[in-house]
């Protein structure tokens, strides 16, 4: 053991304390032997009074109250809610659920029950929509996830620095009642698959629901078939403990009656001169609490009266510890360090934290670097574009200038032509006025010509 | 059955399905059998057995060993008589002895830690350090067991559940050593102060002494068991306030039996009479025994586990949260609680880490 190997440089001799740590870890069978070797069994000469210790413990438990969580897994309509109502003798208000859910969901409800001075916080978790889908491959996943989530919540609370475990509402599932439909043949594949995935996480008690649909002989065969199937597939169901003498006998006999064939009913029917819980059929009355009719009384006794504490203990010491071990190992914590020296949780945790900080630092640097690079690239591109634009602008300007010059040139030419034309016009006008004087004689001739026939007229025209 | 109440479902993490909050009370009839769980608890507890660890602190000669023998009616310790050849202990040494006692089917593993040499030296400065170190050591051991990956089914509990402090019967008030020690200790463990060797005080002197001690405890803010802040309900408060009125108990220890009026009683025989240990008129030993064993044993263990151990755990885990590269980062594997009694090794550790830090920088 790690603690007894590490030498403590303290100035005290604790010759018994170190040895007793080894002692308590042995099984109770070895305790007698150990006692003789390490610690003295002292006899007292008078009455001390610590026989009241169990009572003190019980008083404290009463003050704190108890907590019990049941998970009911079964198809819709198989009678889960009714059975819970019957078990605890109350009508937990619940309406029938529909068959048309696309996925399996879990519905948890917590109730506070009180019987004489014992307070019980009961949480009932029902599967809604189990076995209703057409494709049932993922049906068991939500259930396993839920169970794991409860363990995880407890583990988180336990690993906290400021924790309050003694008033933590324990929501870990203590028992799973698996409802098997009374087909009379064998387990369905879905049942097998679900039970196999749950058996290492929770205490499973299989029950045959709606047992009034099977006759006695069929029931026997069915039970044997079921148990053999479970055993051959390696499904570990909860075995009632047989190590304590007071309850060993009854537990052992009950182990042989598994799975229990149960009927649930909150309706009361008059049988004889008493009102009993029963289901009334035209061919008879099936009584819930009659041991000949069904195993309901056995289930109630085993679940609540005899083994509730053991179920809780198994959940805490076996299933939860397994989950915790797997989870921590997954995270990288081990008990044995690289050189086979005991490594503490804190060391690993510190190392991981260091690593994490280093990693984060590195990532930050990387991101900064990338950011700077991107900015630079963007800048370069923008500059490039700017340059292009500038070049275009210059080009256009040049073109414009050229066009303008051309136009100026044309304008000049046009103006010259206009001037030339004006000159021509002026000269032609001068010509005209000059030609009018001789043309006056011409005019006379014209007049004469007018008297005369046309050929001279034609000549004049040509002259002008 | 009382009416049923629906209470809000545990936690609100997203993976858990929510539940309706309106609680319609339902009537429940008939017998279910929830009560039987109490028997189950009892059976399991008796099978596993109980553990109890006591520490007795006081100067030598105050009757600590005798008191332990009287409490548990057995010869746990041989009460040491001063003899000529035996040298007085130079340093405080703690000695633990474990015994298993059984009464009517209930097995109790009792560990008694004695502190010979406490307050015996000339210079008693820091004489409480080994004791505090021992207590912290037990917490540390439990913590290490608790954070293992593969844990044991039942973690052995060696934490000190109760510390009985013996006040010498001067009749005046608490001495400086007492005050120093009690102040330090009451924060870490349940302390029950008792007036030792009360047969040297008359009844009036005893009462006056008690009142003065109570005043001193109040002035110096020393919270002894049963602590006022842990009273849960009105019943607890009533019961505990009655006990608090009588703290510290004036006790006398004896392991010899004498004949008084034809009865065989435990007591001390003197020339002027027999002081009966079990007689309430003579001394308050029955009150101490009832408090420790018959009524509050489980409570002592609970407060140690839920309060003192959790406080220690918080401090310890917070120490590891000082960011690395800071000046105060200490490696956790060698427990720092030993630093006070062995100063040199811890300084060495700190130095190496500072150099490592420098290298990292």
């Amino acid at each position: 053991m790690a603690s007894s190997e590490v030498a403590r440089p303290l100035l005290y001799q604790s010759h018994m304390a170190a040895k007793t740590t080894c002692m308590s870890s042995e099984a109770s069978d070895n305790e007698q032997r150990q006692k003789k070797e390490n610690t003295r069994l002292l006899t007292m000469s008078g009455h001390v009074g610590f026989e009241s210790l169990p009572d003190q413990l019980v008083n404290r438990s009463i003050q704190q109250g108890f907590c019990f969580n049941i998970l009911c897994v079964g198809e819709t309509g198989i009678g889960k809610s009714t059975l819970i109502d019957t078990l605890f003798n109350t009508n937990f208000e619940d309406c029938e659920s529909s068959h048309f859910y696309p996925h399996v969901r879990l519905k948890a409800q917590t109730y506070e029950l009180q019987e004489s001075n014992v307070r019980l916080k009961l949480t009932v978790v029902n599967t809604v929509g189990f076995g209703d889908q057409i494709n049932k491959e993922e049906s068991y996943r939500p259930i396993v996830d839920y169970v794991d989530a409860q363990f995880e919540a407890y583990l988180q609370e336990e690993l906290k620095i400021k924790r309050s475990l003694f008033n933590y509402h324990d929501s870990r599932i203590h028992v799973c009642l698996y409802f098997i439909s009374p087909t009379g043949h064998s387990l369905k594949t879905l049942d097998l698959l679900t039970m196999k995935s749950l058996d290492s996480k929770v205490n499973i008690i299989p029950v045959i629901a709606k047992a009034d649909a099977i006759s006695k002989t069929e029931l026997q065969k069915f039970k044997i078939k079921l148990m053999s199937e479970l055993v051959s597939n390696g499904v570990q169901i909860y075995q009632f403990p047989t190590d304590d003498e007071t309850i060993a006998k009854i537990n052992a006999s009950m182990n042989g009656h598994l799975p229990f064939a149960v009927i649930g009913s909150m309706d009361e029917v008059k049988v004889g001169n008493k009102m009993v819980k029963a289901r009334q059929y035209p061919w008879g009355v099936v009584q819930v609490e009659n041991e000949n009719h069904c195993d309901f009384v056995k289930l109630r006794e085993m679940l609540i009266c005899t083994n509730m504490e053991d179920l809780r203990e198994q959940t805490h010491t076996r299933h939860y510890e397994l989950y915790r071990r797997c989870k921590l190992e997954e995270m990288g914590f081990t008990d044995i360090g690289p050189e086979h020296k005991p490594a503490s949780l804190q060391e690993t945790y510190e190392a991981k934290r260091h690593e994490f900080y280093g990693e984060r630092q590195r990532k930050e640097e990387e991101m900064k670097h990338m950011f700077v690079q991107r900015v630079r690239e963007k800048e370069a591109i923008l500059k490039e574009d700017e340059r292009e634009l500038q070049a275009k602008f210059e080009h256009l300007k040049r073109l414009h200038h050229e066009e303008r010059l051309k136009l100026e040139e044309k304008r000049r030419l046009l103006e010259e032509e206009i001037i030339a034309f004006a000159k021509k016009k002026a000269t032609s006008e001068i010509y005209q006025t000059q030609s009018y004087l001789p043309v006056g004689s011409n005019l006379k001739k014209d007049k004469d010509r007018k008297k005369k026939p046309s050929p001279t007229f034609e000549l004049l025209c040509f002259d002008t | 059955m009382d009416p049923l109440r629906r209470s809000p479902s545990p936690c609100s993490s997203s993976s858990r399905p929510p539940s309706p909050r309106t609680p319609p009370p339902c009537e429940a009839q008939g017998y279910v059998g929830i009560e039987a769980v109490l028997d189950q608890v009892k059976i399991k507890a008796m099978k596993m057995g109980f553990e109890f660890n006591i520490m007795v602190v006081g100067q030598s000669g105050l009757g600590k060993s005798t008191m332990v023998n009287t409490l548990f009616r057995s010869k746990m310790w041989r009460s040491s008589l001063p003899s000529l050849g035996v040298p007085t202990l130079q340093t405080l040494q703690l000695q633990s002895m474990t015994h298993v006692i059984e009464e009517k089917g209930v097995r109790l593993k009792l560990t008694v830690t004695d502190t010979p040499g406490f307050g015996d030296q000339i210079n008693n400065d820091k004489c409480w350090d080994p004791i505090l170190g021992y207590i912290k050591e037990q917490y540390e051991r439990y913590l290490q067991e608790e954070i293992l990956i593969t844990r044991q089914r039942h973690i052995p509990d060696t934490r000190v559940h109760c510390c009985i402090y013996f006040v010498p019967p001067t009749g005046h008030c608490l001495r400086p050593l007492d005050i120093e020690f009690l102040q330090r200790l009451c924060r870490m463990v349940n302390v029950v102060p008792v007036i030792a060797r009360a047969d040297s005080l008359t009844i009036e002197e005893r009462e006056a002494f008690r009142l003065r001690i109570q005043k001193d405890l109040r002035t110096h803010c020393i919270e002894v068991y049963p602590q006022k802040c842990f009273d849960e309900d009105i019943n607890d408060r009533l019961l505990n306030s009655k006990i608090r009125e009588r703290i510290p108990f004036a006790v006398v220890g004896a392991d010899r039996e004498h004949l008084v009026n034809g009865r065989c009683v435990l007591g001390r025989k003197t020339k002027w009479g027999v002081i009966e240990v079990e007689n309430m008129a003579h001394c308050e030993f029955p009150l101490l025994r009832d408090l420790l064993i018959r009524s509050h044993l489980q409570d002592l263990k609970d407060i140690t586990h839920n309060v003192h151990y959790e406080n220690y755990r918080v401090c310890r885990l917070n120490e590891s949260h000082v960011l690395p590269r800071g000046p105060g980062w200490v490696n956790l594997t060698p427990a720092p609680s030993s630093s006070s009694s062995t100063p040199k090794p811890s300084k060495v550790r700190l130095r190496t880490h500072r150099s490592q830090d420098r290298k990292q920088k």
Side-chain angles (χ1 to χ4, degrees):
Chain A
M1 272 184 49
S3 50
S4 53
E5 283 164 15
V6 177
R8 302 276 175 191
L10 279 183
L11 292 172
Y12 74 92
Q13 311 148 19
S14 162
H15 44 274
M16 283 307 164
K19 284 185 190 164
T20 52
T21 51
C22 300
M23 195 205 103
S24 337
S25 61
E26 307 279 353
S28 54
D29 313 323
N30 299 330
E31 255 178 15
Q32 292 291 328
R33 182 171 48 90
Q34 288 287 324
K35 258 191 268 178
K36 285 175 195 149
E37 290 173 37
N38 299 331
T39 53
R40 284 162 48 190
L41 182 59
L42 215 57
T43 43
M44 299 170 302
S45 55
H47 175 73
V48 177
F50 59 84
E51 79 222 357
S52 62
L53 271 178
D55 293 324
Q56 290 181 33
L57 193 61
V58 163
N59 283 338
R60 187 198 61 167
S61 304
I62 290 178
Q63 239 186 357
Q64 272 182 340
F66 291 91
C67 193
F68 197 54
N69 307 319
I70 302 182
L71 170 68
C72 294
V73 183
E75 295 168 356
T76 317
I78 207 169
K80 304 187 285 286
S81 316
T82 318
L83 184 69
I84 297 292
D85 284 354
T86 324
L87 261 178
F88 289 99
N89 240 323
T90 41
N91 274 312
F92 302 118
E93 271 173 39
D94 216 356
C95 48
E96 292 175 4
S97 44
S98 127
H99 283 257
F100 294 99
Y101 289 113
H103 301 285
V104 176
R105 281 187 314 118
L106 284 102
K107 199 163 61 149
Q109 277 153 332
T110 309
Y111 308 98
E112 279 196 25
L113 302 170
Q114 184 152 0
E115 189 175 78
S116 60
N117 57 350
V118 179
R119 276 180 303 125
L120 180 73
K121 216 175 206 168
L122 177 75
T123 305
V124 181
V125 186
N126 269 317
T127 50
V128 174
F130 188 75
D132 274 339
Q133 293 84 31
I134 294 176
N135 181 1
K136 296 183 230 177
E137 272 177 6
E138 290 299 307
S139 288
Y140 70 94
R141 268 275 111 215
I143 306 175
V144 173
D145 289 343
Y146 181 83
V147 174
D148 277 343
Q150 310 317 307
F151 282 146
E152 183 64 33
Y154 191 86
L155 182 66
Q156 290 301 324
E157 181 67 28
E158 202 186 23
L159 288 179
K160 266 195 211 169
I161 295 195
K162 268 218 166 100
R163 60 188 192 180
S164 57
L165 275 180
F166 54 92
N167 56 11
Y168 174 74
H169 180 133
D170 190 6
S171 60
R172 300 172 293 182
I173 302 291
H174 298 128
V175 69
C176 169
L177 289 176
Y178 198 93
F179 289 74
I180 302 175
S181 353
T183 55
H185 299 306
S186 62
L187 272 180
K188 296 196 190 151
T189 325
L190 175 65
D191 293 340
L192 211 55
L193 191 64
T194 315
M195 278 205 265
K196 196 87 178 76
S197 55
L198 281 176
D199 69 350
S200 59
K201 294 186 191 282
V202 82
N203 304 313
I204 299 185
I205 297 183
V207 292
I208 302 173
K210 298 201 170 175
D212 49 351
I214 321 182
S215 72
K216 258 251 158 83
T217 41
E218 285 174 358
L219 188 64
Q220 271 308 106
K221 275 193 256 170
F222 190 35
K223 278 193 186 181
I224 295 171
K225 188 79 197 299
L226 284 177
M227 288 307 284
S228 68
E229 267 199 8
L230 287 173
V231 164
S232 62
N233 281 295
V235 175
Q236 285 184 328
I237 55 174
Y238 177 70
Q239 298 289 326
F240 301 118
T242 48
D243 47 0
D244 185 21
E245 311 80 37
T246 44
I247 50 174
K249 241 198 313 184
I250 189 169
N251 275 348
S253 77
M254 289 300 176
N255 272 329
H257 280 116
L258 279 174
F260 295 125
V262 293
I263 300 168
S265 169
M266 285 302 282
D267 304 325
E268 302 226 328
V269 173
K270 197 169 175 102
V271 170
N273 51 358
K274 280 197 303 169
M275 294 294 283
V276 291
K277 286 205 282 273
R279 285 175 66 80
Q280 176 135 56
Y281 290 107
W283 48 88
V285 177
V286 183
Q287 293 162 37
V288 168
E289 285 176 345
N290 188 335
E291 298 237 19
N292 289 328
H293 291 194
C294 73
D295 295 332
F296 174 80
V297 175
K298 293 197 184 82
L299 175 67
R300 182 174 65 192
E301 195 169 316
M302 282 293 105
L303 191 65
I304 302 172
C305 308
T306 319
N307 294 309
M308 197 196 281
E309 191 58 32
D310 185 65
L311 284 164
R312 293 174 56 198
E313 195 184 312
Q314 289 281 351
T315 309
H316 182 68
T317 52
R318 205 151 59 105
H319 301 294
Y320 171 69
E321 287 295 317
L322 182 67
Y323 175 82
R324 180 177 175 272
R325 189 164 60 227
C326 293
K327 200 67 199 294
L328 290 178
E329 277 176 0
E330 212 180 291
M331 289 207 276
F333 294 109
T334 44
D335 277 340
I336 312 287
E339 291 121 31
H340 289 281
K341 272 193 263 162
S344 76
L345 196 76
Q346 272 139 334
E347 271 200 324
T348 330
Y349 180 69
E350 276 303 304
K352 277 197 177 281
R353 247 169 131 247
H354 233 109
E355 215 183 287
F356 176 71
Y357 275 131
E359 182 80 24
R360 200 174 73 176
Q361 200 82 339
R362 209 175 41 83
K363 274 210 175 131
E364 269 182 31
E365 300 272 317
E366 222 181 277
M367 280 173 81
K368 250 190 238 168
H369 198 71
M370 215 163 31
F371 181 70
V372 167
Q373 212 167 335
R374 282 231 186 105
V375 164
R376 252 187 253 142
E377 276 175 21
K378 231 351 176 350
E379 254 183 10
I381 290 175
L382 283 173
K383 268 210 181 98
E384 196 49 54
D385 284 344
E386 204 181 317
R387 239 181 290 134
E388 265 182 41
L389 268 174
Q390 195 79 356
K392 248 194 207 164
F393 180 63
E394 295 284 315
H395 184 69
L396 279 173
K397 204 165 155 187
R398 233 181 309 129
L399 278 174
H400 179 243
H401 193 69
E402 275 176 18
E403 287 280 329
R404 208 161 162 198
L405 284 174
K406 272 194 201 151
L407 282 173
E408 287 283 333
E409 188 67 39
K410 276 197 182 157
R411 188 170 170 207
R412 201 171 42 82
L413 282 171
L414 191 67
E415 277 188 3
E416 276 182 10
E417 270 187 23
I418 291 177
I419 291 173
F421 179 70
K423 268 193 199 156
K424 258 197 190 165
K425 190 177 176 187
T427 41
S428 73
E429 276 181 2
I430 293 173
Y431 262 163
Q432 246 185 356
T433 45
Q434 274 184 354
S435 69
Y436 273 148
L437 290 174
V439 165
S441 52
N442 285 350
L443 277 173
K444 264 188 197 171
K445 277 182 194 171
D446 247 328
K447 279 180 193 167
D448 294 333
R449 266 190 213 136
K450 272 186 188 169
K451 290 169 196 175
K452 281 185 194 170
S454 46
T456 31
F457 184 74
E458 284 171 330
L459 269 162
L460 273 169
C461 290
F462 278 2
D463 269 322
T464 355
Chain B
M1 264 199 232
D2 289 5
L4 187 85
R5 298 189 309 284
R6 192 180 289 193
S7 58
S9 265
C11 274
S12 52
S13 74
S14 54
S15 57
R16 294 205 212 182
S19 71
R21 300 258 162 168
T22 53
C26 324
E27 268 295 318
Q29 330 87 6
Y31 170 76
V32 177
I34 301 178
E35 248 185 333
V37 75
L38 296 178
D39 292 325
Q40 297 171 31
V41 169
K42 225 187 235 189
I43 292 173
K44 274 209 189 295
M46 306 232 334
K47 200 168 78 155
M48 193 147 62
F50 295 87
E51 285 171 316
F52 193 52
N53 308 318
I54 272 190
M55 181 190 266
V56 285
V57 185
Q59 283 180 301
S60 37
L62 281 181
K64 301 189 294 289
S65 320
T66 318
M67 176 55 61
V68 172
N69 288 346
T70 322
L71 265 176
F72 294 101
R73 293 296 176 105
S74 39
K75 286 255 181 289
M76 294 233 174
W77 296 98
R78 251 179 303 122
S79 42
S80 48
L81 298 164
S83 56
L84 286 172
V86 176
T88 50
L89 296 160
Q90 290 305 308
T91 45
L92 176 57
Q93 288 181 329
L94 286 97
Q95 292 171 348
S96 280
M97 284 205 80
T98 308
H99 302 276
V100 175
I101 41 183
E102 185 162 339
E103 194 175 68
K104 293 203 182 140
V106 179
R107 252 183 318 114
L108 176 68
K109 193 170 96 181
L110 180 70
T111 307
V112 181
T113 312
D114 197 2
T115 56
F118 176 79
D120 282 342
Q121 287 83 38
I122 294 182
N123 182 5
N124 286 316
D125 202 20
K126 297 219 187 302
C127 64
W128 47 79
D129 279 346
I131 297 177
L132 293 181
Y134 176 81
I135 295 174
K136 280 194 196 152
E137 155 95 17
Q138 306 313 309
Y139 286 149
E140 181 64 30
R141 218 177 256 197
Y142 193 87
L143 181 66
Q144 291 298 335
E145 284 290 331
E146 201 187 29
I147 60 178
L148 279 180
I149 305 289
T150 330
R151 297 198 284 211
Q152 296 171 47
R153 200 174 173 103
H154 175 69
I155 302 179
D157 193 359
T158 51
R159 302 170 292 189
V160 177
H161 298 133
C162 175
C163 176
I164 309 180
Y165 186 75
F166 286 74
V167 177
T170 57
H172 298 168
C173 60
L174 285 178
R175 301 168 304 158
L177 173 66
D178 299 332
I179 293 174
E180 279 292 322
F181 184 77
L182 284 172
Q183 266 179 335
R184 286 190 168 73
L185 219 67
C186 69
R187 273 179 256 133
M188 216 178 292
V189 79
N190 300 317
V191 180
V192 178
V194 294
I195 301 174
R197 286 192 181 269
D199 50 341
S200 57
L201 296 168
T202 63
I203 303 284
E204 295 85 18
E205 284 170 358
R206 195 195 285 176
E207 289 303 315
F209 189 29
R210 196 204 311 277
L211 287 172
R212 267 192 286 257
I213 291 183
Q214 281 175 356
K215 197 164 81 122
D216 274 340
L217 291 175
R218 265 196 302 272
T219 331
H220 291 97
C221 303
I222 299 173
E223 281 248 0
V224 296
Y225 184 82
Q227 291 97 336
K228 219 179 254 189
C229 43
F230 302 136
D231 283 340
E232 286 183 14
D233 52 23
I234 192 80
N235 297 330
D236 271 352
R237 221 172 296 146
L238 281 174
L239 183 67
N240 288 343
S241 49
K242 281 202 201 107
I243 298 172
R244 275 191 282 264
E245 275 170 34
R246 312 284 277 172
I247 292 246
F249 301 125
V251 294
V252 175
D255 44 8
R256 291 221 189 91
E257 293 202 347
H258 305 274
L259 225 69
V260 171
N261 294 340
R263 285 178 306 131
C264 222
V265 290
L266 269 182
R268 286 170 65 78
K269 186 163 181 164
T270 58
K271 289 247 157 60
W272 47 93
V274 175
I275 304 158
E276 291 169 44
V277 166
E278 299 265 356
N279 192 336
M280 270 302 288
H282 291 194
C283 78
E284 287 163 356
F285 172 79
L287 284 180
L288 178 69
R289 183 199 49 208
D290 287 346
L291 177 75
L292 279 187
I293 301 174
R294 292 192 189 167
S295 54
H296 284 74
L297 202 150
Q298 190 60 43
D299 193 39
L300 283 164
K301 288 172 73 174
D302 284 342
I303 292 189
T304 311
H305 180 67
N306 292 334
V307 178
H308 297 296
Y309 170 69
E310 290 293 321
N311 283 341
Y312 175 78
R313 185 175 172 277
V314 169
C315 292
R316 191 89 166 87
L317 294 183
N318 268 333
E319 278 170 23
S320 69
H321 272 225
V322 177
L323 284 177
R325 300 193 201 129
W329 194 53
V330 177
N331 192 3
L332 275 184
T333 335
S337 57
S338 58
S339 59
S340 47
S341 47
T342 55
K344 281 178 193 163
S346 62
K347 271 190 196 154
V348 167
R349 281 201 299 275
L350 278 171
R351 240 181 263 134
T352 52
H353 276 276
R354 283 215 192 94
S355 62
Q356 270 181 15
D357 290 342
R358 263 186 247 121
K359 277 182 202 161
Q360 281 172 356
K361 282 173 194 162

